[in-house]
Amino acid sequence: MCGIVGYVGPQQAAPVLVEGLTRLEYRGYDSAGVAVLNPRSSANPSRVVRAQGRVRDLEAALPARLAGTTGIGHTRWATHGEPSERNAHPHTSADGRVHVVHNGIIDNFATLRSRLADDGVELTSDTDTEVVAHLVARELATGLSLEDAVRTAVGQIVGTYALAVLDTQTPERIVVARNGSPLLLGVGDGEMFVASDPAAIVRHTSQVVLLDDGDFATVTADGFHSFTDGEERTARAAVTIDLTVEELELDGHEHFMHKEIHEQPESVERMLTGRLDDRFGTAKLAGLNLEPRDLRRFERVKVLGCGSAYYVGQLGASMIEDLARIPADAEPASEFRYRNPIIEPSTLYVVVSQSGETADTLFAVREVQRKGGTVVGLVNAVGSSIAREVDGGVYLHAGPEVAVASTKALTHMSIGFALLALTLGRVHDLSFADGRRIIAGLRAIPGQIAEILAGEEALAAAAKELSTAPSLFFVGRVRGYPVAREGAQKFKEITYRHAEAYPTSELKHGPLALISPELPSVAIIPDDDLVERNITAAQEIRARGGAVVAITHPGVELGDAATSRIEVPRNEVELDPILLTIPTQLLGYHAAVALGEDVDRPRNLAKSVTVE
Ligand code: F6R
């Protein structure tokens, strides 16, 4: 989704902005732009360059000399108005004095636009953002400082925003504001940065200041001062981020998605370090901020997440029911908040998010909290909005995920759920021996993922065959159903082929009518108490001419129920879905590669969905 970068300091701003925007490309965007201030040129105190397409298109459009040491840049993911140069940010006030980049959505933009138009302002784009430039310019014209002008302008806005604003008459500063969209400052040596995502500035500094909703800040080369609408200064301190440039490089892989799939054995090992408690057969999750006595009082668990995180949430809910024997279910966070949910004090709400910035999930957190519920988070991005707002949580420590299609973060989420289920289980009726059994299972996972990845060649071959089908099914039962849902999601996101998940048991209630030689199925067939039924269902598909790629365990006799077979090592039955998901990541990846698609940046999608 949209990305912001800003620079003020001794360097030329344009190259810093372009490099920052390149690092934000992974978030998904359709156009890009920069504005650079040059106080030395009275004729051209600022230059704005924008381009539809990639950051490299913007780079090509930049003049050879774009002098200036203060600037802002943006990658736009269209919400209001088509992707085009005129809708790309930065937007500029009619008098040319103010330049603005914005992430988020201004809900009352239509009213503001028509008011401005009534006052004779000529609007030059279809965006919601442009109004901000005009509003700030209008306040500046009354003699207000840039800070006061921004504060007064955003007072008229209803919606979410991360804003960075330039005024050609005060070229040594950037004023920023945050409400509901992430924004941080990077602290350098005699230079400062602004970014919506630390990836944009990681090459320059690891010292960042995370702004909160309601914060404003003035940023100059010497530092910053942050304040609120009530004008009082806020004491925001810099923290060190754990992110390196190397983590954002391909490191010999053709795609980030491939790199991230292959990082899993190591990243899972890292995630588990220090979190398994052999002495008591449980997990150590201090960040939950819940003592065993508190945990014991919860009679139900509700998991909330979006997209793939929701599917992992379904897996997590079944782990919690299996291990803790308390009712648990998952719901899309995007739906939850709008149905006036009943929040029960005896329910533990668990939100799950890679980015920690998904607006729907963040609003679900606030809905639970507003109604007095307890909400904990399984979050990957350290210091993200969700991580900061929940009552407690578990960091997933998957490291940065650059590919839009999530893989390793989802595996870490499911392991996070296993740790939570184990913790809840051990304060209920899960025995010490069973706790130790799950711990042993968790310890085996990194090595078992490595085993699955070693079979990549066979998976690539199966994926190539599946890629030619116009449509396909992913089917699984009970614990295997969320695996099928996630498998279908990954496949369709990056191949643009129609892939649909069904509970295997539902096939005969309708979808079987679609089976034909043109519609293959990927069937999740673990060696559990449903194995015979799953094999029968696969045979029913085969009997109607459909091909079946079975993801199964060693020793399962499939006979002619499958046209090809992918094996994953057996773990504990509660943890098996974690491993059964890994081949589906590679199926989606290799099918997209076979089709020549842009694997890391699928069309229409964004890495972190910060709008509702
Ligand atoms: C799919 C995918 C999305 C995300 C969803 C939630 O590959 O990545 O479905 O899972 O947008 O994102 P987070 O986890 O950042 O809240």
Side-chain angles (χ1 to χ4, degrees), residues 384-595:
S384 55
S385 303
I386 294 173
R388 287 190 288 156
E389 291 198 22
V390 286
D391 301 314
V394 180
Y395 272 126
L396 300 174
H397 296 308
E401 199 177 59
V402 175
V404 166
S406 187
T407 51
K408 66 171 175 169
L410 300 177
T411 303
H412 281 238
M413 284 175 194
S414 52
I415 291 171
F417 276 114
L419 294 173
L420 181 63
L422 179 59
T423 307
L424 284 166
R426 290 290 292 132
V427 300
H428 285 88
D429 294 328
L430 191 74
S431 69
F432 173 66
D434 271 332
R436 291 283 295 259
R437 175 176 68 79
I438 296 299
I439 286 179
L442 285 166
R443 284 218 170 92
I445 286 177
Q448 291 181 316
I449 296 178
E451 264 182 66
I452 298 168
L453 299 182
E456 183 168 6
E457 221 172 287
L459 274 156
K464 199 167 175 196
E465 279 194 23
L466 290 174
S467 73
T468 58
S471 186
L472 63 160
F473 282 172
F474 280 73
V475 296
R477 287 195 76 168
V478 188
R479 298 184 195 97
Y481 177 50
V483 176
R485 294 189 89 181
E486 172 47 23
Q489 163 102 328
K490 207 87 311 158
F491 204 90
K492 73 182 119 190
E493 271 184 306
I494 51 177
T495 65
Y496 314 142
R497 298 291 153 133
H498 172 241
E500 193 162 359
Y502 279 106
T504 318
S505 53
E506 280 289 302
L507 282 178
K508 56 185 175 301
H509 297 294
L512 210 50
L514 287 172
I515 297 293
S516 76
E518 280 73 53
L519 193 142
S521 299
V522 176
I524 313 299
I525 311 185
D527 190 9
D528 59 12
D529 45 5
L530 289 168
V531 65
E532 295 304 334
R533 287 177 198 275
N534 277 324
I535 293 172
T536 304
Q539 261 152 353
E540 285 166 6
I541 296 172
R542 295 288 300 118
R544 285 152 185 86
V548 172
V549 175
I551 300 180
T552 189
H553 284 138
V556 171
E557 293 288 343
L558 293 173
D560 57 4
T563 31
S564 59
R565 171 188 187 110
I566 293 158
E567 285 188 359
V568 305
R570 220 185 249 99
N571 195 296
E572 297 303 325
V573 72
E574 299 90 340
L575 305 179
D576 278 334
I578 301 171
L579 294 165
L580 290 161
T581 307
I582 307 293
T584 68
Q585 301 173 343
L586 284 168
L587 283 180
Y589 171 76
H590 282 289
V593 170
L595 291 166

Side-chain angles (χ1 to χ4, degrees), residues 26-27 182 196-198 210 241-242 352-358 378-388 394-401 409 413 608:
Y26 79 97
R27 301 180 70 90
S196 53
D197 177 329
L210 303 166
I241 41 159
D242 185 18
V352 58
S353 175
Q354 187 288 125
S355 63
E357 301 293 352
T358 301
L378 303 187
V379 176
N380 192 37
V382 176
S384 55
S385 303
I386 294 173
R388 287 190 288 156
V394 180
Y395 272 126
L396 300 174
H397 296 308
E401 199 177 59
M413 284 175 194
S608 125

Side-chain angles (χ1 to χ4, degrees), residues 199-314:
I201 58 171
V202 67
R203 203 164 79 80
H204 305 280
T205 181
S206 58
Q207 295 297 302
V208 303
V209 179
L210 303 166
L211 296 178
D212 276 341
D213 282 352
D215 276 351
F216 296 80
T218 302
V219 186
T220 60
D222 305 331
F224 70 98
H225 94 262
S226 55
F227 53 97
T228 65
D229 192 24
E231 286 189 40
E232 65 278 9
R233 258 172 186 265
T234 52
R236 302 275 172 247
V239 292
T240 306
I241 41 159
D242 185 18
L243 178 66
T244 61
V245 182
E246 294 70 45
E247 285 176 297
L248 302 173
E249 307 285 354
L250 280 165
D251 195 21
H253 293 265
E254 202 180 330
H255 300 103
F256 281 105
M257 185 175 174
H258 193 258
K259 178 186 179 211
E260 285 154 12
I261 291 172
H262 280 266
E263 276 171 350
Q264 294 177 108
E266 204 187 315
S267 66
V268 170
E269 185 95 53
R270 186 179 63 226
M271 176 190 185
L272 290 173
T273 305
R275 282 179 157 163
L276 300 175
D277 182 345
D278 292 292
R279 209 154 67 96
F280 294 106
T282 186
K284 293 189 220 167
L285 300 177
L288 280 181
N289 299 330
L290 292 167
E291 295 298 321
R293 196 178 297 116
D294 306 317
L295 285 170
R296 176 84 208 181
R297 85 182 155 81
F298 294 115
E299 291 165 8
R300 180 183 290 277
V301 175
K302 166 72 88 181
V303 181
L304 301 163
C306 293
S308 292
Y310 156 58
Y311 301 144
V312 180
Q314 283 196 308

Side-chain angles (χ1 to χ4, degrees), residues 14-355:
V16 177
L17 299 177
V18 169
E19 197 259 339
L21 293 180
T22 308
R23 302 248 174 233
L24 294 177
E25 283 194 295
Y26 79 97
R27 301 180 70 90
Y29 70 106
D30 46 57
S31 51
V34 294
V36 174
L37 299 185
N38 182 6
R40 295 221 182 99
S41 163
S42 51
N44 278 319
S46 66
R47 289 288 294 272
V48 176
V49 184
R50 305 180 295 183
Q52 188 185 341
R54 297 286 186 209
V55 174
R56 60 172 178 268
D57 300 313
L58 170 71
E59 225 176 335
L62 291 178
R65 279 183 55 78
L66 183 55
T69 57
T70 304
I72 51 177
H74 192 260
T75 46
R76 173 174 187 256
W77 187 82
T79 57
H80 298 75
E82 57 173 13
S84 65
E85 198 216 315
R86 67 191 281 275
N87 287 332
H89 303 205
H91 287 284
T92 301
S93 58
D95 60 4
R97 184 172 165 184
V98 174
H99 304 291
V100 172
V101 291
H102 164 229
N103 288 357
I105 287 187
I106 297 170
D107 295 330
N108 61 337
F109 84 104
T111 318
L112 294 171
R113 273 178 80 94
S114 63
R115 247 188 249 157
L116 286 162
D118 290 348
D119 293 348
V121 176
E122 196 191 328
L123 291 142
T124 57
S125 77
D126 311 314
T127 65
D128 52 344
T129 303
E130 187 187 347
V131 298
V132 183
H134 299 301
L135 292 176
V136 174
R138 177 178 288 192
E139 300 303 332
L140 285 173
T142 67
L144 288 185
S145 66
L146 180 58
E147 287 78 0
D148 285 338
V150 171
R151 197 160 36 199
T152 314
V154 302
Q156 299 166 56
I157 291 173
V158 179
T160 55
Y161 49 81
L163 286 166
V165 185
L166 296 180
D167 171 10
T168 52
Q169 294 191 13
T170 47
E172 76 300 339
R173 71 183 54 191
I174 306 172
V175 170
V176 302
R178 173 192 159 136
N179 179 42
S181 288
L183 195 61
L184 56 91
L185 311 179
V187 182
D189 187 7
E191 57 185 357
M192 287 288 296
F193 304 83
V194 173
S196 53
D197 177 329
I201 58 171
V202 67
R203 203 164 79 80
H204 305 280
T205 181
S206 58
Q207 295 297 302
V208 303
V209 179
L210 303 166
L211 296 178
D212 276 341
D213 282 352
D215 276 351
F216 296 80
T218 302
V219 186
T220 60
D222 305 331
F224 70 98
H225 94 262
S226 55
F227 53 97
T228 65
D229 192 24
E231 286 189 40
E232 65 278 9
R233 258 172 186 265
T234 52
R236 302 275 172 247
V239 292
T240 306
I241 41 159
D242 185 18
L243 178 66
T244 61
V245 182
E246 294 70 45
E247 285 176 297
L248 302 173
E249 307 285 354
L250 280 165
D251 195 21
H253 293 265
E254 202 180 330
H255 300 103
F256 281 105
M257 185 175 174
H258 193 258
K259 178 186 179 211
E260 285 154 12
I261 291 172
H262 280 266
E263 276 171 350
Q264 294 177 108
E266 204 187 315
S267 66
V268 170
E269 185 95 53
R270 186 179 63 226
M271 176 190 185
L272 290 173
T273 305
R275 282 179 157 163
L276 300 175
D277 182 345
D278 292 292
R279 209 154 67 96
F280 294 106
T282 186
K284 293 189 220 167
L285 300 177
L288 280 181
N289 299 330
L290 292 167
E291 295 298 321
R293 196 178 297 116
D294 306 317
L295 285 170
R296 176 84 208 181
R297 85 182 155 81
F298 294 115
E299 291 165 8
R300 180 183 290 277
V301 175
K302 166 72 88 181
V303 181
L304 301 163
C306 293
S308 292
Y310 156 58
Y311 301 144
V312 180
Q314 283 196 308
L315 261 184
S318 85
M319 285 182 196
I320 290 166
E321 288 204 342
D322 276 344
L323 296 178
R325 300 306 296 154
I326 51 176
D329 72 337
E331 182 176 338
S334 48
E335 291 289 288
F336 174 79
R337 144 175 205 240
Y338 287 101
R339 62 171 183 82
N340 193 17
I342 297 164
I343 303 299
E344 299 160 312
S346 57
T347 296
L348 176 64
Y349 295 85
V350 182
V351 292
V352 58
S353 175
Q354 187 288 125
S355 63

